[in-house]
Amino acid sequence: MDLQTIYLLVGTFGAGILTCGLIALIAVKLARRRESGPESGSVQTRRALLESVAQNVSEVHHVYQQFLAMALEFSRHGNSWPNQRKEELRRITDELVNAFRHLTEAEATLLLLGEKKLERALRIYGSKIVHLRRQIYADKATFSGEDIQGLDHLRKEIAELRETFYDALSQRFKTV
């Protein structure tokens, strides 16, 4: 075998290796794109849905905080509270009732994501707010010390339920 034939074989062999390497590189890149493409979109969608759940819960909690401030003020004054403030309490109570559509939407989203434990925690949180709302209404004459203690206990329980829910939601968000 002469030197020219050896160079030709080495060149052909080298070109073959280079071609195989390029094809393998392209195949790996395509496989990664296929793997990350739909999954990445799925992960992004899931994150967006979890964010929408947090937003919906925060909408309800904002109105709840307004209601709570009015309710605590009303519980201290009872019948001596001005009619204008009672009307404000009625208005904010209606807003709270209407805000629960956000909670229902958040619960439905969690169920669609298969997050039954989070949905259950959110349902309990909402039911405690409803329980508190039923304790306070603008036509209630007076509040006993026991009533006020019960309201304070419910307020603390709701705060704990909210914190627990957000902790769990945060953990789910991190694992997505």
Side-chain angles (χ1 to χ4, degrees), residues 45-165:
T45 301
R46 188 170 181 81
R47 287 193 118 161
L49 288 171
L50 289 173
E51 286 173 2
S52 76
V53 166
Q55 179 63 36
N56 282 327
V57 174
S58 72
E59 294 282 338
V60 173
H61 193 74
H62 174 73
V63 178
Y64 160 73
Q65 289 290 355
Q66 293 174 338
F67 171 79
L68 183 62
M70 295 285 293
L72 292 174
E73 182 183 329
F74 180 52
S75 70
R76 291 184 195 105
H77 297 286
N79 271 341
S80 65
W81 216 34
N83 285 336
Q84 181 184 5
R85 296 296 283 169
K86 287 181 183 180
E87 280 305 312
E88 262 185 83
L89 178 60
R90 284 184 188 97
R91 182 189 56 78
I92 199 71
T93 300
D94 290 343
E95 279 184 42
L96 184 60
V97 170
N98 291 332
F100 262 73
R101 68 183 163 77
H102 293 290
L103 209 57
T104 303
E105 187 178 319
E107 289 172 5
T109 301
L110 289 171
L111 286 175
L112 284 173
L113 292 172
E115 298 290 348
K116 290 181 182 182
K117 289 181 182 179
L118 278 172
E119 184 273 337
R120 194 173 311 118
L122 189 55
R123 199 168 0 106
I124 292 168
Y125 166 77
S127 69
K128 289 295 179 179
I129 292 174
V130 169
H131 184 66
L132 177 74
R133 183 185 55 81
R134 288 181 179 154
Q135 304 293 316
I136 298 174
Y137 46 92
D139 298 322
K140 189 168 183 166
T142 60
F143 290 87
S144 68
E146 190 175 298
D147 288 340
I148 293 173
Q149 258 185 339
L151 294 176
D152 190 50
H153 177 73
L154 271 172
R155 180 188 60 80
K156 288 177 184 174
E157 198 173 346
I158 290 168
E160 288 173 7
L161 288 168
R162 177 179 177 263
E163 184 178 337
T164 301
F165 172 76

